[in-house]
Every structure is written in C-alpha cells, then in structure tokens.
Amino acid sequence: MLWRITYFLLWQFAGGGLGLWQGGPWGAALGAALAAWAWFVWDLLRGVRVLRWLRNGDLADVPVMRGIWGEAADRARRLLRRQESQIRESQDRLQEILAALQATPNGVVLLDAQCRIEWCNQMAANQFGFDAQRDVMQSIGNLVRDPDFTAYLAEQDFGSDVVLEGRFSTPSRPVRISVHLHPYGDGRTLLLSRDVTALEQADAMRRDFVANVSHEIRTPLTVLTGFVETLQTLPLAADERSRYLGMMAQQALRMQSVVQDLLTLSRLEGSPLPGMAEWTPVQALLTRCEDEGRALSALLTQNQAPHVLQFPSEDQLRTEGDIAGVSAELQSAMSNLISNAVRYTPAGGSITVEWLRLADGSAVFSVRDTGPGIAPEHIPRLTERFYRVDRSRSRETGGTGLGLAIVKHVLQRHGAALDIRSTVGKGSVFSVTFPANRLRGFALRG
Ligand code: ADP
C-alpha cells in the first residue's frame, strides 16, 4: 500500500514539476492533475489485465507485475493452483474407486433418483447386456425387462434380493444372477449383481445327491424290513427261513457297498493330492487286477460259458517299471474298470486288458470288452454319481452306481485321463492315460 501511495506521489511530483517548468504555478496544478489521471488510467489498465486473466483463469499466462495488482494476481494464481490440484486429486480418487468397482467380481450399477444408470461396471454390463457407455442415463427399468425385476424395483424392498435369468442364459448354459438394491445418497440407489449359477447348481447337485443316497439306502432297507416282518409274523420252514436270511444278507451287503463307496468318495475329496514319493510296480498292480478279475468272472459265470480274459504277460509286466501315486487308489480305479467289464459282459464274452507305453513316455491302461456297449448319449454322464445305464444289471451284479465316479476322481488326482469308447451291441473300451512324469524304470525289451 505504501508503494502505491509513493508511486502516486511520484507521478504527482513529476507531473507538477513538469507543469511548473513549462507554465508556472498554473502549469504545476495542471501537470499534477494530468499526472493523477495518467496514474489512474495506468492503474486501471493493470487492473483490467488482472481481471482479464482471472476471467480465463489460464495458469500458464499469469500477468507478472509489481504492486497491489501483482500481489492480487499472485494470490489468485496460488488459489487457482491449489484448487486445480485438489480437483486433480479428487478425480484421481474417483478413478481409483471406479477402477476398484470395475475390478470387483460382482456387477455394480449406480442409479440416480429416477433409476437411470449413472455408471455401471463391465461385469454388470455383461450380466445384463448393457453398453457401459451408450446406456448411461437410460432408465434401468427399460433395459432389464424381467417382470420379477420390474416388481422388485417398484417395491423398493431393500431388505431382500431377486434372482433373474442372465441376459445370455440359454437352456443348455443357464446363467442366474442375484440382484440386490441398496439406497444411498439423496435418493440414489446402488445395484449389486452376482452370478449365482454355480451356487444354484451346487445346491441342486447337493439336493440330488441327498435324494439319490436316500433312495439307494431306502430301497434295500424297505426290502430288509419286509423280510424281517415276514420272519417275525409267519411260521416258516427252515429252508425258507434260510433263503429269506440269504436275501436279507444280500440287501444288507448292498447298503454296505453304497456306504463304503460314499466313504471312499468323501475320503478322496478330503485328502491331499498324491505326491511323487510312493512308487508301486506296475506289475504288482496288474497282477492283483488279474487275480480279482478272474475271481469275479468265475463267480458270475458259474455253470455258464466262462469269460475269455486276457492280461499282459508276466514277461511284459516285469519290464514296465513303477508308477507314482497312492497304490490303493490306483489299484481300486484299475480293478473297478475290470470289474465293470466282467460284470457287464455276458458269459462267454471276452475281456482284454492292456498296458502300453507310448513314445512320449506316457502309458495307456485299457480294458476292452465284448459286452452290450453304451449308447453315445450316456457316455458323458457315466462318471456322475449314481448314473447307471442299466439299473437292473448294475444291481444284480452288486453295482452301486459310484464306481466310475470313484475312478474319475482317482485318475484326476493322479493327473491321468479317462477315455470311454463304445459301440452298442459290440462292446466298450475304457482307457486311462498316465502321464510320463508319474512313470519310471521302463526297460525296452530287446
Ligand atoms: P455300477 O456300480 O452301476 O457299475 P459304475 O459307476 O461303475 O456303476 O458304472 C456306471 C454305469 O456305466 C453302469 O451302471 C453301467 O450302466 C455303465 N457301464 C460301466 N461299465 C460298463 C461296461 N464295461 N459295459 C457296459 N456298461 C458299462
């Protein structure tokens, strides 16, 4: 301020001095007045320069000047710079929050008070078929036409959610989306959506599984109870009694096998993956398979034409080396395939078991039979729990419908793959490919 007054006085003195020199005392008064005006105009021009700059607010073009206007411009520049950095910071924050919302595995839609889309993440766009850019400010009610959603939106019941069919859901690949609305801000709504297809499928599978287990246990239990009642109420002859007891034992055994297989499955699901520390000779596994297969075949074909069973020769097996994994699991999977071939192949049919080393170091264990074969539509479902093509044949021969489910599990745990090929009326081939890293000590025969 002091400078400003000093400047003004300097102008006055200069104008007055000049006027005095040129025109005496009147000249001095006129010079001082003119100098005051000139100072005023000069000051006004400086003020206008600052004002013009303030109007466009370009920080790259700040007017550089001294005095009060210079300070005003400088303070305004600092204020603008601080404001600009605050805006940049909050924009960065907003971008970070939006990026986090983009990264969530759930769909997020921000709706205004009129339920128009203000923003949505890519997941929500995919689930509902929105275009994240084009559909901004569109009413969500116009875009999601599901009547359940319309009712839910109208009700504004924020305490519950609604499950809708996904936009790209098809009968073969159903997609189910759970939608929940949450109020926030002044009348705004946050819509969260979640893909619950796998959850619903798991739930349905669990229900099916419980129903299947109950059915598998209840059937023999009902038969068993019937026999118990008969034995309790009817005076039976000794041979009849023992025949009934035999049938009861059969039903009890059936229940036992189902429970046993269920326990095996749950043990497989709960135990850690087999490591590479336990090695079992392929020869030992296949010799046991052969013993069990021949015994089962003899039992099932009593008084009938025997099966023709072929296994790899001892000579071949001696050079096949070892396989890594849980020996009992591998044994049960391989025996299961042989037992199925024996059980489903009519008397007189043939069953051929092979163990082949491939050039890449892997090995294929295969069981070929001349049984009834399996129609192609059943093949993908054979490893499902309790899935059977021929229920009566399975039960007659002591099947539980869990055998191939166990096989699949064991093989997956050992990095092996199961391949099923079959022709109805001709027979089936079940082959298992074991990876090279689980095999060792294979000696080439000369
Ligand atoms: P199960 O205890 O009923 O044999 P699995 O899981 O072992 O159960 O097999 C599932 C179904 O696959 C069987 O019920 C049967 O219908 C069919 N199957 C399995 N192996 C053979 C085979 N070698 N020949 C024909 N059908 C087979």
Side-chain angles (χ1 to χ4, degrees), residues 154-432:
E155 255 175 51
Q156 298 271 302
D157 173 12
F158 300 122
S160 67
D161 60 357
V162 65
V163 178
L164 315 172
E165 200 85 0
R167 176 79 166 78
F168 301 107
S169 178
T170 58
S172 57
R173 281 196 73 232
V175 179
R176 306 276 293 159
I177 309 290
S178 157
V179 176
H180 204 141
L181 291 176
H182 303 268
Y184 80 100
D186 44 355
R188 289 191 156 82
T189 318
L190 169 73
L191 182 150
L192 293 180
S193 58
R194 195 160 54 102
D195 190 330
V196 288
T197 318
L199 243 143
E200 286 204 346
Q201 274 172 352
D203 213 38
M205 264 171 72
R206 188 187 52 78
R207 276 198 305 272
D208 281 359
F209 182 66
V210 172
N212 274 327
V213 171
S214 315
H215 175 79
E216 292 297 326
I217 305 278
R218 201 182 48 209
T219 314
L221 205 58
T222 314
V223 180
L224 205 61
T225 326
F227 282 134
V228 171
E229 267 175 29
T230 313
L231 285 176
Q232 279 173 334
T233 49
L234 293 181
L236 297 170
D239 59 336
E240 229 170 344
R241 241 182 118 73
S242 80
R243 194 164 63 85
Y244 273 34
L245 284 170
M247 288 195 278
M248 284 165 75
Q250 214 178 0
Q251 296 303 323
L253 276 177
R254 198 176 131 194
M255 282 195 290
Q256 208 175 23
S257 323
V258 173
V259 173
Q260 192 63 47
D261 280 358
L262 283 172
L263 284 175
T264 307
L265 267 174
S266 93
R267 215 175 19 243
L268 284 174
E269 277 169 350
S271 55
L273 284 179
M276 302 293 284
E278 189 183 338
W279 290 88
T280 312
V282 173
Q283 183 181 24
L285 287 175
L286 283 176
T287 312
R288 247 189 93 190
C289 283
E290 179 167 358
D291 293 346
E292 286 179 6
R294 287 192 190 281
L296 182 67
S297 165
L299 190 76
L300 293 177
T301 56
Q302 281 166 0
N303 310 323
Q304 300 174 71
H307 286 133
V308 180
L309 292 161
Q310 275 184 336
F311 284 85
S313 68
E314 255 187 55
D315 248 12
Q316 181 200 336
L317 290 180
R318 207 171 300 129
T319 55
E320 288 299 343
D322 308 321
I323 181 165
V326 182
S327 166
E329 288 182 19
L330 292 169
Q331 179 70 60
S332 105
M334 290 156 99
S335 291
N336 227 306
L337 296 180
I338 297 173
S339 131
N340 275 355
V342 170
R343 284 164 46 227
Y344 293 104
T345 304
S350 61
I351 291 124
T352 311
V353 177
E354 283 182 277
W355 177 271
L356 270 178
R357 276 289 185 145
L358 302 184
D360 62 0
S362 58
V364 179
F365 166 79
S366 66
V367 183
R368 176 189 308 273
D369 65 52
T370 57
I374 305 157
E377 67 269 22
H378 295 297
I379 293 181
R381 300 198 57 191
L382 290 184
T383 52
E384 284 175 25
R385 292 165 189 203
F386 297 114
Y387 190 85
R388 297 169 170 114
V389 180
D390 183 347
R391 270 183 186 276
S392 58
R393 177 99 187 109
S394 162
R395 294 230 170 88
E396 262 168 42
T397 54
T400 59
L402 293 169
L404 288 179
I406 295 177
V407 170
K408 181 183 157 193
H409 231 91
V410 168
L411 297 184
Q412 266 177 357
R413 284 161 55 76
H414 287 82
L418 175 68
D419 178 58
I420 308 171
R421 279 158 208 247
S422 190
T423 314
V424 174
K426 289 209 165 143
S428 319
V429 189
F430 286 73
S431 18
V432 179

